[in-house]
Amino acid sequence: MTNYEIAVIGGDGVGPEVIEEGIRVLEALGDPAFRFTRLDWSSDRYKRTGRFIPDGGLDELASFDAIFFGAVGDEEVQDHITLNNLILPIRRRYDQYACVRPAYLYEGVRSPLAGQGPGDIDLVVIRENTEGEYADIGGRVYHQTDQEVAIQTSVFTRHGTERIIRYAFEEARRRGGRRKVTSITKSNAQGYGMVFWDEVFENVKDAYPDIETESLLIDAAAMDFVRRPQDFDVVVASNLFGDILTDISAITIGSMGLAPSANLNPERVNPSMFEPVHGSAFELIGKNQVNPLATILAAAMMVEFLGEAEAGAAIRKAVAENLREGRLRTPDIGGSSSTAEVGKDIVRRLEQR
Ligand code: IPM
Ligand code: MN
């Protein structure tokens, strides 16, 4: 039986709560088996010790098969500090350049968009995850004066742009559905990086004549995610645009609490990281009300990426059945069950399979 070593970072906010539900679900699989190493990397740790990640910690992640991540963000620590010291270094250091964020409208869940039924929304956003607008380059001078200047630089490399666009085309082939890739930029206003991205997209697409293509500006795409979500299959976008679009796609499928995310190093040189899209959700901390399904679906993505297709499918099936039945669900999707009750329901379904 295969045994996987998983680094677990519950992190901040509701992260630790949902991650424990994800762990119970993975344990319920029985085969494959997992060994979980819980790391206390978080804003709490930062407040206690001055460090989010202990010395040498980042290096140690290399020895794991995957990283299972909860959330990051704390009411008492400025976001740019948390993010630039915990999650973004992991994504960059382990070259997890493909951020894969599927949005599927499950039977039994109501979309806030009129006229959308089960499966009508079935898209995946491939977000560039290591450079673009998130490149940690810039500076500030003349602090707190009228002359203050802040510069934030976006970085688009040929290497980085080509590989994410290629990944999107490969994903369209793997999914095998509509076989369409939509590329998102803002090349009408950002004449360097985004025009470059458009050119790379034009070049890469020639190698995929079997895939339909479309190129949209981010503002129009934001509108179309609401107006015609059923027309999207694979969407490829820069780091920031992908970030924004995946909050929209998450809510179109009924709740942020149903949206998983994978930060992949597709070459498997480094461990990949799996997390829910929703983040810390301060208002829900400790209430046992947060929806664990986004994390459980992230766990499904993790086992699938590890090569355990059957186990991944089993988790998805259990989630789909829970949602179809609609008996045990958290308040975000109209129920009154707790986090733990929903988690237990998924575990029960897996144990009975
Ligand atoms: C996400 C989050 C992060 C991001 C934050 C926490 C840095 O919003 O994973 O979508 O912007 O990448
Ligand atoms: Mn986000």
Side-chain angles (χ1 to χ4, degrees):
M1 181 165 70
T2 325
N3 217 310
Y4 295 104
E5 296 287 340
I6 308 295
V8 178
I9 305 171
D12 299 337
V14 298
E17 298 172 48
V18 288
I19 218 76
E20 290 305 319
E21 299 302 333
I23 287 176
R24 280 191 273 274
V25 165
L26 289 166
E27 282 173 339
L29 289 171
D31 180 12
F34 299 89
R35 208 166 67 190
F36 299 101
T37 302
R38 288 173 176 78
L39 304 166
D40 71 343
W41 304 358
S42 61
S43 296
D44 274 345
R45 191 179 189 290
Y46 171 69
K47 286 186 272 186
R48 252 186 7 255
T49 69
R51 301 287 302 271
F52 287 89
I53 302 179
D55 266 340
L58 205 48
D59 293 336
E60 282 164 29
L61 284 183
S63 65
F64 290 91
D65 293 309
I67 305 159
F68 196 31
F69 193 94
V72 48
D74 185 278
E75 282 177 302
E76 293 169 15
V77 187
Q78 273 193 305
D79 275 341
H80 73 271
I81 297 179
T82 345
L83 311 180
N84 279 305
N85 285 285
L86 185 52
I87 185 127
L88 299 181
I90 301 176
R91 289 178 183 168
R92 278 196 289 260
R93 162 65 188 276
Y94 288 108
D95 206 20
Q96 296 163 346
Y97 65 84
C99 179
V100 179
R101 297 188 161 182
Y104 181 83
L105 180 55
Y106 280 95
E107 186 180 349
V109 183
R110 209 166 58 88
S111 170
L113 304 180
Q116 299 295 332
D120 286 350
I121 301 174
D122 182 7
L123 61 84
V124 59
V125 176
I126 308 297
R127 164 186 177 186
E128 201 294 319
N129 216 26
T130 51
E131 51 176 52
E133 309 86 343
Y134 278 52
D136 194 12
I137 295 183
R140 284 174 69 168
V141 285
Y142 310 127
H143 289 272
Q144 305 294 334
T145 69
D146 290 346
Q147 288 74 44
E148 184 155 13
V149 179
I151 294 177
Q152 183 99 39
T153 303
S154 294
V155 173
F156 294 92
T157 65
R158 182 168 292 279
H159 173 69
T161 309
E162 262 176 19
R163 69 181 180 176
I164 195 66
I165 292 174
R166 217 176 290 120
Y167 185 89
F169 278 98
E170 295 294 335
E171 178 72 15
R173 278 190 179 159
R174 259 193 306 275
R175 279 165 64 87
R178 298 196 48 156
R179 303 172 83 82
K180 176 178 173 186
V181 175
T182 304
S183 164
I184 311 292
T185 58
K186 186 65 187 173
S187 43
N188 55 347
Q190 306 228 289
Y192 305 107
M194 293 288 167
V195 169
F196 169 72
W197 176 295
D198 281 353
E199 284 171 16
V200 173
F201 185 70
E202 288 303 310
N203 289 337
V204 171
K205 84 179 192 197
D206 289 343
Y208 299 89
D210 52 318
I211 308 288
E212 183 190 343
T213 59
E214 174 180 45
S215 220
L216 292 179
L217 298 171
I218 178 65
D219 45 356
M223 177 179 68
D224 282 341
F225 263 44
V226 172
R227 184 174 63 161
R228 52 174 189 101
Q230 67 281 0
D231 287 350
F232 293 99
D233 177 22
V234 177
V235 177
V236 62
S238 63
N239 213 330
L240 179 62
F241 292 169
D243 176 47
I244 298 166
L245 282 178
T246 51
D247 266 31
I248 303 179
S249 60
I251 203 63
T252 64
I253 57 162
S255 172
M256 289 294 285
L258 294 173
S261 173
N263 304 270
L264 302 183
N265 175 251
E267 289 73 27
R268 298 163 195 270
V269 176
N270 304 308
S272 294
M273 177 164 67
F274 301 82
E275 56 174 333
V277 175
H278 56 63
S280 293
F282 305 134
E283 68 286 3
L284 295 178
I285 297 175
K287 292 206 172 127
N288 201 10
Q289 281 194 346
V290 57
N291 194 336
L293 294 181
T295 306
I296 290 169
L297 289 167
M301 293 182 85
M302 181 166 83
V303 297
E304 276 164 2
F305 189 73
L306 291 170
E308 305 285 347
E310 199 200 319
I315 298 175
R316 276 178 213 291
K317 181 160 171 275
V319 169
E321 284 173 3
N322 163 283
L323 291 171
R324 187 182 315 128
E325 200 179 281
R327 219 165 38 80
L328 293 168
R329 51 174 56 184
T330 45
D332 57 307
I333 47 173
S336 56
S337 306
S338 68
T339 307
E341 283 168 334
V342 174
K344 279 204 193 87
D345 185 59
I346 304 300
V347 166
R348 180 185 60 80
R349 290 172 195 276
L350 284 171
E351 284 170 352
Q352 287 174 359
R353 102 194 115 112

